[in-house]
Amino acid sequence: MCGVFSSGLISDRFGRRHTMLCLLLLTVVAGTISSFTPNYPAFLITVWICGFSSIGYGTVMYVWMMEHIAGKYKTILGAFPHFCFGFWGLMTCLICYLRPNWRDLQLIFSLPCILLVAAYFYFPESARWLLANGKKEEAEKLCKEIARENGCELGDNFKLVVKHKGKNQEGTGYLGFLQLFKYPHLRLKTIISYYLWFSTALIYYGLTLNSNNLGASLFVYQAVGKALEFPGITLVIFMLLKTGRRLTLMIYYTFGGICLILTMFVPLNTFPYEWPIVVLNLSGRVCSIGTLAVCYIYSSEIFPTVVRNVGLGSSSLWARVGPMVAPFVAQLSVYDDRIPTTFFGIVALVAAFLVTFLPETSNTPLPDTIQDSEDLGKGDTFWNIFKRKKYTVKNDKS
């Protein structure tokens, strides 16, 4: 929670590149030290620091990537990191199985990250962040370098245009995240984004805690769960390209919610291994994986450059609250094993309803200022589509 939020504030103030380097070095140092800690309190402190910096590094890196791509590549690459989550989740299962010693694991997972420091000397700063923070000349120079690398010359007359000046540049300070709640339309999108992240994490981790483990070992069950992410994310990318952000999220939340609620109507102790409940449970888990991928993309497109990192980071903060609540929901199984999954299904359907009030952002440029974000998608909701169709039909009849 602290890592994703603090890294957003730091990154929006000092830039993506420098923040990534500091967080990466902190991850390597704290993670390596944790493998040699002499007592439990020291271990907790170093692991907390490692978790703080590693999750912050990942969030800043994602924002940096999204600010450098556009078009269909923004969709494909925006979801692609979740393939990495699945792959390294499988590798974690394998490494933990082969080397079940926590000291060795801390070292294995931390020290090799030092190789990523080389990326600092290759990756440039985000041109969008430079322009949004008044560093116009540096942004123009960077754009020319990128164009030259791609075999295109922009010429000496190339100039970037700052569309807005004045109050819409608010949000570049330490407490810029407060601007997310200052304007009504941006405030609505922010609150909905927070709930989507919270519900996705609550459902995913809640199902993991409450699901039938199929009689398999911890390593096998975790590996199966991670393997499910590959077809799930592949389908997400296809749907995002064909149907856009809003409809994809609505479909995933709705289908997942219905699957989970249906578990309440499946009689217990009737089917071998309770396989209908297991199938519905896994379907809900796959849907939650898909919604998380879309939430990353959606949030990076809704929040403006000046506070994009803190917007995404504060949304991700609520994804940390979800797993904290999940164990308490899972305890409802003492009354009936199907109650927790039914509860998660209701949470998913509420999320599907809230998504209908978000604008479609698949073919829109990333907003740079607070005002850009406030204006983005005004009047564009799922329900307005039917209003426009109804209005068009009336005009045709007249």
Side-chain angles (χ1 to χ4, degrees):
M1 293 176 63
C2 298
V4 291
F5 185 71
S6 300
S7 65
L9 291 173
I10 297 170
S11 173
D12 286 336
R13 178 65 179 86
F14 296 104
R16 319 308 192 205
R17 187 165 167 262
H18 298 314
T19 303
M20 283 191 289
L21 177 64
C22 294
L23 292 174
L24 177 60
L25 292 175
L26 191 58
T27 299
V28 173
V29 173
T32 302
I33 293 176
S34 68
S35 65
F36 300 101
T37 49
N39 51 59
Y40 189 61
F43 173 76
L44 285 181
I45 293 172
T46 52
V47 166
W48 187 91
I49 295 174
C50 183
F52 170 94
S53 53
S54 61
I55 192 65
Y57 174 80
T59 304
V60 178
M61 186 68 196
Y62 186 86
V63 169
W64 178 92
M65 178 189 71
M66 293 296 285
E67 290 179 344
H68 280 86
I69 52 181
K72 67 177 183 179
Y73 298 105
K74 186 170 62 172
T75 298
I76 297 172
L77 294 179
F80 200 85
H82 295 271
F83 284 121
C84 299
F85 296 159
F87 173 77
W88 286 112
L90 289 173
M91 290 300 100
T92 299
C93 295
L94 178 61
I95 294 171
C96 291
Y97 178 78
L98 296 175
R99 196 71 180 178
N101 181 283
W102 70 267
R103 291 188 183 274
D104 294 340
L105 292 175
Q106 287 297 117
L107 198 61
I108 291 171
F109 293 140
S110 302
L111 191 57
C113 292
I114 193 67
L115 298 176
L116 297 176
V117 173
Y120 174 81
F121 301 98
Y122 177 76
F123 289 160
E125 181 55 84
S126 166
R128 282 186 174 276
W129 180 85
L130 290 172
L131 186 62
N133 284 271
K135 301 181 180 182
K136 184 170 177 286
E137 293 182 359
E138 294 181 44
E140 290 173 346
K141 180 181 178 181
L142 178 56
C143 288
K144 291 178 181 179
E145 292 176 358
I146 294 174
R148 191 177 305 113
E149 191 74 20
N150 290 316
C152 176
E153 289 291 339
L154 293 178
D156 296 333
N157 295 327
F158 169 76
K159 297 292 182 183
L160 291 173
V161 178
V162 180
K163 294 183 296 182
H164 302 291
K165 294 182 179 180
K167 67 175 183 178
N168 37 55
Q169 290 294 340
E170 293 173 346
T172 57
Y174 289 105
L175 300 180
F177 75 97
L178 294 178
Q179 300 298 323
L180 297 174
F181 303 94
K182 185 175 180 179
Y183 302 94
H185 190 228
L186 179 57
R187 178 169 60 245
L188 175 65
K189 291 184 289 187
T190 300
I191 294 173
I192 292 177
S193 177
Y194 287 175
Y195 180 81
L196 297 183
W197 281 77
F198 167 79
S199 61
T200 294
L202 173 67
I203 295 168
Y204 179 82
Y205 288 101
L207 291 177
T208 302
L209 291 172
N210 193 62
S211 59
N212 189 315
N213 63 12
L214 308 179
S217 70
L218 173 65
F219 300 105
V220 173
Y221 180 69
Q222 179 68 9
V224 170
K226 285 300 176 182
L228 288 173
E229 298 191 16
F230 292 96
I233 297 303
T234 302
L235 181 60
V236 163
I237 293 175
F238 176 80
M239 292 186 64
L240 285 172
L241 292 172
K242 296 297 182 181
T243 65
R245 284 44 165 156
R246 182 170 59 201
L247 188 57
T248 298
L249 259 187
M250 289 172 59
I251 291 173
Y252 266 80
Y253 274 124
T254 303
F255 180 74
I258 291 175
C259 286
L260 296 177
I261 290 177
L262 285 177
T263 60
M264 180 58 73
F265 303 98
V266 179
L268 296 174
N269 304 317
T270 302
F271 301 94
Y273 302 105
E274 307 291 355
W275 67 264
I277 294 180
V278 172
V279 170
L280 292 171
N281 187 300
L282 290 176
S283 298
R285 182 171 175 177
V286 170
C287 287
S288 67
I289 293 168
T291 56
L292 179 61
V294 183
C295 281
Y296 264 100
I297 298 173
Y298 223 155
S299 297
S300 64
E301 293 175 340
I302 287 175
F303 297 118
T305 301
V306 290
V307 288
R308 179 168 295 117
N309 218 136
V310 75
L312 183 63
S314 58
S315 298
S316 185
L317 181 150
W318 285 98
R320 305 318 180 238
V321 176
M324 295 168 63
V325 177
F328 299 101
V329 178
Q331 289 179 2
L332 295 174
S333 61
V334 298
Y335 302 103
D336 190 303
D337 290 337
R338 299 164 295 182
I339 290 180
T341 51
T342 303
F343 178 85
F344 296 138
I346 295 173
V347 170
L349 291 182
V350 171
F353 174 71
L354 292 177
V355 170
T356 62
F357 297 99
L358 289 177
E360 177 55 57
T361 59
S362 56
N363 296 313
T364 59
L366 293 179
D368 288 321
T369 66
I370 296 293
Q371 190 62 48
D372 288 341
S373 187
E374 170 67 10
D375 296 338
L376 177 65
K378 265 190 176 180
D380 176 20
T381 68
F382 179 74
W383 308 108
N384 283 346
I385 295 176
F386 299 101
K387 291 182 181 179
R388 286 197 294 266
K389 287 184 178 179
K390 185 177 180 180
Y391 180 75
T392 302
V393 171
K394 286 184 178 179
N395 285 344
D396 291 341
K397 288 181 179 180
S398 61

